[in-house]
Amino acid sequence: MPKEKASSYSVPKLGTFTGPTLDKAVAKLLAAVDAESKHLSQEREWKDFRDRWLSRNNGLLAQVNELWLKAAPKESKREVGQRVNELKKKVDYQIEDIRSRLVSRPSTGEEAGKSESDREMSKPAPDSRALDITLPGIERPLGAEHPVIKTMNEIVSVFRGLGYSVEEGPEIETDYYNFEALNFPPNHPARDTQDTLFIADQDHKPPRERLLLRTHTSPVQIRAMGKTKPPLRIVCPGKVHRNDAPDATHSPIFHQVEGLAVDTNITFSDLKGTLDYAMKTLFGSSVKTRFYPSFFPFTEPSADVQISCIFCNGAGRRDGAACRNCKASGWIELLGCGMVDPNVYSFVDYDATKVSGFAFGMGVERIAILKYGVGDIQMFFQGDVRFLQQFA
Ligand code: DAH
């Protein structure tokens, strides 16, 4: 048989871009790859052959891109693109296949003259054609919701069921929204209760415009009231930051769900009923709640909510010893709440003589820790799959 000239193929321009023309062009190109590969007997030749076809600069496939894909009219681009992609995959596969056939041939005694890299290349490669279909497939495990997100979604869905909608706000917040409009006046000592991470180099700005990492989700209340007239019922889930050193119960990053209901005639009993229902839904119907006087600048009166200890059923003792989870008190403190301070309404143009409302805020990790019996808040953030997969 006359020996075909090895490199006679060149990528043709296409007259039309119809299916049959493309079929023919693709078949010719693949046949050319095959024909050229027949003349190869050494690794070095294979490399030249590979570069001729695959070189990014001016390899034949790069030319296919130019002459077929780029030249195709708009309406054929999609189809030509698909064909070219398939073609590239085939050629890649074919060229790799040719290499593995080459290197698995019995040695011809030429080894001595080969360079180090040739010898490296000539190591028998795993035969890409040897496919054992009896092997089990590759298992690709599905991910799962992170326990913090899972708990946050659970809390949110309790309130969605009560007719609340979800609002979100920025994690980088201004001093105004994080503090001032929530009735924390500048330099007020109440600000010290929230160790704040400020963004550097903002001294040139007026204090209320300076940026910080929000220390709570309460600023979303103000943003929501700023854009919506009452009545309003919202929950605001999200990430917050405090300048706290990490330990078993503290983390500089954590999550909160904030709630706000404003309407006419909302009373403290509405607040109590709502939170009692929410705690029972989250922790079980036998859980009791109690409201303890507290202080937050944006609510008056304010309260901390405690739930009866879910470990000792509120007894304070478990297995004949003091319950460690509630420090033998029978109660666990869980969240803050109160009636919206009328001062807050003046920042958002709500008429404090006509509306009233309540607000609450809870830490998501704290609730997840209790629900799942997690010993250390840091575990939520370490990304250890052995820990996380238990919640999948
Ligand atoms: N923002 C408070 C905090 O991070 C939590 C809180 C307490 C939110 C009472 C409220 C509230 O809306 O009424 O400590």
Side-chain angles (χ1 to χ4, degrees), residues 286-290 306-311 313-314 330-332:
S286 60
V287 154
K288 293 192 188 71
T289 51
R290 100 177 162 176
Q306 304 177 339
I307 60 166
S308 53
C309 179
I310 52 174
F311 300 97
N313 289 324
W331 295 95
I332 294 179

Side-chain angles (χ1 to χ4, degrees), residues 152 167-179 182 194-199 210-221 223 235-243 251-258 364:
M152 192 153 78
E167 280 286 332
E168 285 179 314
E171 284 167 30
I172 298 174
E173 193 46 287
T174 58
D175 183 280
Y176 176 77
Y177 283 109
N178 197 78
F179 289 125
L182 284 162
Q194 309 205 348
D195 286 321
T196 310
L197 291 159
F198 292 93
I199 309 260
R210 293 183 193 164
L211 297 172
L212 44 82
L213 300 183
R214 68 175 176 192
T215 55
H216 50 177
T217 42
S218 306
V220 186
Q221 285 187 20
R223 289 182 173 275
V235 273
C236 324
K239 191 184 288 172
V240 302
H241 299 78
R242 302 251 176 121
N243 186 14
S251 162
I253 300 176
F254 59 102
H255 298 75
Q256 289 186 336
V257 175
E258 180 84 11
V364 177

